[in-house]
Amino acid sequence: MALTGSEVGVARSKTDQPKRRDPVRSVALVMIVVSVLWRAQIAARGYLAADDYVLITQSAESPLTPGFLLTLYNNHFMPGGRLLTWLVTDAVGLTYWPYVLLMAAGQAMLAVAFYRLLRTLLRPSRLLLVPLGMFLFSPLTLEATSWWAVGANMLPMQLSMVLALGAQLKYVRTRRKRHLVSLVLSVLLGLLFFEKALLVVPLVFLFTVCFFTEGGPIRSVLTALRRWWPSWLVLTALVGAFAGVYLLRSESSLRRPESLGEVLSFLTQLFGSTLMPGLLGGPWGWLGAGDGAAVVAPPELGRWIAWSVFAALVILTVKRDRRATRSWVLFGSYLVLVAALLAATRLGSVYSGVAGGVPRYVSDAVVVACICIGVALVGIARQTPAGGEPADGESTPLAGTPGPYVEPEPAASETAHRAPDSHTESEQMPGATGSVVAAYSSRSGVIHAEAPDDPDLAPAEEPPTAPGPTPSTEPAAGPDPVVEPVPRTGPEPTRERTPEATATSPGRGRERQAPAPPPADWLGPVPERYREVVTAGLALLLVAAMFGTVWTTSRYSDEWAMKYGRSYLDTARIELASAPPGTVFFDTPVPGGVVPDLSWPYNLQSRFFAAAGSRPEFVHETENASVLDDLGRIQVATIHGSSIVPGPQEGCGYLVPAGQTVRMPLDKPRDDWFWIVRIGYLSSADGTAVLRLGKGTHTFPVKKGLNQRFFEVSGGDDAVELTVLGLDLTLCTNEITIGNLTPKPE
């Protein structure tokens, strides 16, 4: 369609004008950069911890095969995390900085995606920065941006949540099939890193029901199922395929809580001490947990303040706009899912007493909380297509999807002063030719924008227009006229879109925000005489939350910086590099503060140092053994455990003639386990001896003179038996100790 000269001139003038700065976008960009750099600095102060060493060891010992990637870790399905760990280990070994970069990159992508979701979902408002700031700086997500074993699970899951909600939002508004593909890929992204990403599926459904339907709960659910059934079909297929793969490789993680009190204590701790204080800048105090991330330790007063502020926020937003109730319903529903999952898999174990104080267990709930808070504060934007016809024969809503707010009705006084006219608004006012009129239906007091082919709304016939001159398409001189809403005395007719209406922006399938009614006065429920006080109080509360967040994050950073494993590894590397030839070690566990004993056999030194570069020389038997102490220093080894009681022969102890067996009682019995034995003896000649501990035996060489021997044995009993093999060989011993290696006292 050809444009007139005046239209071309207007288009050129608009093109030549510089783009108006968006202060919200600028501030958001600064916030994202600050949060990423700050979190990266916190992560860099720390080091690898606990599960990180196990994942790295497994990567160092295994080739990159599908079997390795699909192997569960602690019953967690995380092929994506295993792949990244394997690539880093293969390239740089036991090095930390690549993991810091990966976590920073993941946080940056997540932050940008979350900001884009807020801009697409919410009305334009500076209040958008509130949920964005809560998400970017929430102390509840500190573990995910500093501890690799947690970040490899949680960052992709959070990104999956944000991308999936964004894809569903676009599908609801446009019905375009490509958004279904994006939805499936977004959920699949999370499932490749963490099986908990299955919660994204019910989250997408709750998101759709709460924000894009009307009526009661049953009607809303049925509406969502009927209108957007392709989403639920593809998600169900994806979940079914994933469950088939996961259940074949996993063991049940379900546990039974020991008592109702355990459940109540867990829920009180999870919500009262962790989630609510964390959303408002808490917990303001941490309890160290070794090399792992600290657990929350909020003051009692802080807990009550957090709950009071959150309750006040819910009441204020609901009183201001009843439709905010749906935001809190969505948040509460997701919390029920998270709490049920945690209670079924974490209670009834040795860690159930502190399970509710671990922030990473609710870090995914932060995404949902910030979205719901944003909707409650700002409201959902109405979107309208701005170019191109729907693809694949799909319908495109003229005015977007149903918004959570009511289009303001014209006042009765205004209606009385307006004379009815059979002409359309475009015929009455110049410059209104390209406006698009959407069809609405009133349902339970909510004005709902419908697609032209919505089965719930039969299209009304076009009313006849009175004859009159054809309105001019030339732009009117002077400012654009204000189009007053036409009072509705009955159902409004649906109007077909004209090319002028759909050509407002180039491209096919793009969306733009339609003008939204002005937001309600935030202090509307507050009497006029109290507004200044309330405003000052809200400002002080916001400042207090910001300072609380800085304080909490700084305290966490100090806790995270203290890494036992880093100092142990650095010291051991230096000691091993300068150790004299012939320094040998038994393959014993590293200190439990570096790798927990529950991680056996990956807590053994041979596994721990597999990717470290400098690796000790390990033996099963030797005359002189060395050991790394708890600080990583090389020390002369001895045995701490059970010893034989002194023998009857003075100056000899137990005399063991050739070919005979002598039984020697222990001062403390030994359980059937893997032990190391030290025997100090005096022999008349070279030969061979056999030591027996229960069902375990070991044969070792005997040298003439005063000597000692270290060797491994697997067994248990309250006594040992020693047999000497050889001719003309007599052996005396009063030093046999069975137990674990330890540094010899100086």
Side-chain angles (χ1 to χ4, degrees):
M1 178 177 176
L3 299 177
T4 63
S6 58
E7 289 175 332
V8 173
V10 171
R12 287 179 178 176
S13 62
K14 291 183 178 180
T15 305
D16 295 339
Q17 291 177 355
K19 290 186 178 180
R20 186 179 60 180
R21 287 189 176 183
D22 186 348
V24 173
R25 180 182 301 171
S26 301
V27 174
L29 178 61
V30 172
M31 293 170 62
I32 291 173
V33 172
V34 170
S35 67
V36 171
L37 294 180
W38 193 13
R39 295 291 180 97
Q41 184 266 339
I42 293 172
R45 292 188 65 190
Y47 197 67
L48 301 168
D51 296 312
D52 295 339
Y53 296 114
V54 179
L55 291 171
I56 291 172
T57 296
Q58 293 176 350
S59 300
E61 295 177 347
S62 304
L64 186 60
T65 62
F68 165 73
L69 295 177
L70 296 178
T71 299
L72 303 187
Y73 175 71
N74 286 346
N75 221 29
H76 292 315
F77 184 80
M78 46 181 300
R82 282 189 174 276
L83 175 61
L84 294 178
T85 305
W86 192 94
L87 293 175
V88 173
T89 303
D90 184 66
V92 294
L94 196 62
T95 306
Y96 182 52
W97 63 264
Y99 299 107
V100 176
L101 293 181
L102 285 173
M103 288 185 289
Q107 184 194 358
M109 290 188 291
L110 175 60
V112 172
F114 188 77
Y115 168 70
R116 289 172 60 88
L117 175 62
L118 292 182
R119 288 299 294 258
T120 306
L121 176 65
L122 305 182
R123 294 179 184 176
S125 173
R126 295 180 181 179
L127 288 176
L128 174 146
L129 298 175
V130 174
L132 178 64
M134 291 180 64
F135 176 74
L136 293 178
F137 299 100
S138 174
L140 297 177
T141 60
L142 284 168
E143 285 181 88
T145 57
S146 57
W147 188 357
W148 170 246
V150 178
N153 293 149
M154 291 311 307
L155 284 175
M157 178 182 172
Q158 290 176 325
L159 183 60
S160 171
M161 297 170 71
V162 174
L163 295 178
L165 293 179
Q168 178 66 6
L169 174 63
K170 293 177 181 178
Y171 177 69
V172 165
R173 287 175 170 169
T174 67
R175 307 289 180 92
R176 298 185 185 280
K177 294 180 180 179
R178 65 170 180 266
H179 299 310
L180 288 178
V181 177
S182 299
L183 176 62
V184 172
L185 293 179
S186 299
V187 178
L188 182 61
L189 169 67
L191 293 176
L192 290 177
F193 285 86
F194 197 13
E195 74 282 353
K196 189 183 178 182
L198 285 171
L199 291 182
V200 178
V201 175
L203 173 62
V204 170
F205 182 75
L206 291 170
F207 175 80
T208 307
V209 170
C210 291
F211 291 157
F212 302 103
T213 63
E214 315 83 26
I218 297 179
R219 180 179 179 182
S220 296
V221 169
L222 293 178
T223 300
L225 289 174
R226 176 180 53 80
R227 281 198 186 146
W228 300 290
W229 62 266
S231 293
W232 322 134
L233 180 63
V234 296
L235 290 179
T236 301
L238 176 62
V239 170
F242 175 81
V245 175
Y246 177 70
L247 294 177
L248 288 176
R249 312 183 70 89
S250 66
E251 300 177 358
S252 177
S253 298
L254 298 179
R255 295 184 174 93
R256 178 176 297 177
E258 297 179 357
S259 64
L260 178 61
E262 182 184 15
V263 176
L264 294 178
S265 176
F266 164 74
L267 294 177
T268 301
Q269 191 179 42
L270 183 70
F271 298 133
S273 299
T274 304
L275 183 62
M276 293 309 167
L279 291 177
L280 298 173
W284 310 288
W286 299 94
L287 183 63
D291 272 14
V295 297
V296 301
E300 188 69 16
L301 178 60
R303 292 175 62 247
W304 286 105
I305 291 177
W307 268 102
S308 300
V309 172
F310 184 80
L313 176 63
V314 173
I315 294 173
L316 180 61
T317 53
V318 171
K319 190 173 182 180
R320 171 179 174 264
D321 189 344
R322 290 289 182 183
R323 288 168 296 277
T325 305
R326 291 197 167 216
S327 297
W328 305 120
V329 169
L330 171 58
F331 184 40
S333 300
Y334 188 78
L335 290 183
V336 170
L337 294 176
V338 172
L341 178 63
L342 292 176
T345 57
R346 291 296 179 266
L347 298 186
S349 68
V350 295
Y351 299 110
S352 60
V354 296
V358 180
R360 65 177 176 271
Y361 291 159
V362 291
S363 58
D364 54 314
V366 176
V367 177
V368 184
C370 294
I371 291 174
C372 293
I373 290 173
V375 172
L377 292 177
V378 181
I380 296 181
R382 177 183 295 121
Q383 298 287 331
T384 181
E389 293 300 323
D392 303 318
E394 299 174 3
S395 63
T396 302
L398 290 178
T401 56
Y405 56 89
V406 178
E407 187 75 18
E409 296 284 353
S413 60
E414 180 184 355
T415 306
H417 286 83
R418 296 183 57 183
D421 196 341
S422 60
H423 294 282
T424 62
E425 290 295 321
S426 60
E427 293 172 326
Q428 296 178 24
M429 299 183 183
T433 307
S435 61
V436 181
V437 181
Y440 292 90
S441 67
S442 178
R443 298 178 181 176
S444 302
V446 178
I447 302 305
H448 172 61
E450 297 286 353
D453 60 345
D454 193 308
D456 281 353
L457 183 63
E461 297 182 359
E462 187 77 9
T465 58
T470 303
S472 174
T473 58
E474 294 293 331
D480 293 334
V482 178
V483 180
E484 297 291 341
V486 178
R488 287 189 290 270
T489 58
E492 278 193 26
T494 56
R495 299 294 303 268
E496 294 294 329
R497 288 179 296 174
T498 62
E500 292 84 1
T502 58
T504 53
S505 64
R508 177 170 178 150
R510 292 190 178 180
E511 297 174 0
R512 60 178 174 85
Q513 292 189 357
D521 184 5
W522 245 103
L523 300 179
V526 180
E528 186 70 29
R529 62 181 180 276
Y530 298 130
R531 290 196 174 191
E532 291 186 3
V533 176
V534 172
T535 302
L538 292 176
L540 289 176
L541 179 62
L542 181 61
V543 172
M546 294 171 60
F547 276 103
T549 300
V550 172
W551 172 266
T552 299
T553 305
S554 299
R555 299 289 71 77
Y556 175 89
S557 179
D558 294 339
E559 291 285 347
W560 182 248
M562 296 184 293
K563 283 290 172 282
Y564 180 20
R566 174 176 52 196
S567 60
Y568 175 85
L569 181 59
D570 291 344
T571 302
R573 281 170 166 168
I574 296 173
E575 292 278 311
L576 292 172
S578 59
T583 302
V584 294
F585 303 83
F586 283 89
D587 190 9
T588 57
V590 298
V594 179
V595 181
D597 295 337
L598 293 176
S599 298
W600 191 89
Y602 295 101
N603 64 332
L604 295 175
Q605 292 179 1
S606 61
R607 302 289 186 87
F608 178 79
F609 288 101
S614 299
R615 192 170 183 267
E617 180 181 352
F618 297 106
V619 297
H620 299 284
E621 183 176 350
T622 184
E623 292 184 356
N624 297 291
S626 298
V627 65
L628 291 170
D629 64 12
D630 289 345
L631 299 178
R633 300 173 302 182
I634 297 178
Q635 304 282 359
V636 177
T638 187
I639 302 295
H640 176 73
S642 301
S643 301
I644 59 174
V645 298
Q649 300 290 332
E650 185 177 354
C652 177
Y654 293 92
L655 179 63
V656 186
Q660 297 186 16
T661 299
V662 176
R663 182 178 175 84
M664 308 172 190
L666 295 171
D667 58 0
K668 292 179 292 184
R670 290 280 96 178
D671 295 331
D672 194 359
W673 192 245
F674 177 84
W675 305 109
I676 297 178
V677 178
R678 176 192 175 273
I679 176 172
Y681 63 89
L682 177 63
S683 176
S684 61
D686 294 343
T688 305
V690 178
L691 182 138
R692 179 177 290 104
L693 176 65
K695 297 180 180 180
T697 61
H698 183 79
T699 302
F700 60 95
V702 173
K703 292 184 178 180
K704 181 179 180 180
L706 184 64
N707 295 284
Q708 68 174 358
R709 197 76 178 177
F710 293 85
F711 53 84
E712 300 170 345
V713 67
S714 180
D717 205 345
D718 58 357
V720 298
E721 295 179 350
L722 186 63
T723 304
V724 174
L725 307 177
L727 301 174
D728 301 327
L729 174 61
T730 302
L731 184 146
C732 290
T733 183
N734 212 23
E735 298 180 3
I736 298 180
T737 306
I738 302 172
N740 297 313
L741 281 174
T742 185
K744 186 176 182 180
E746 298 180 358

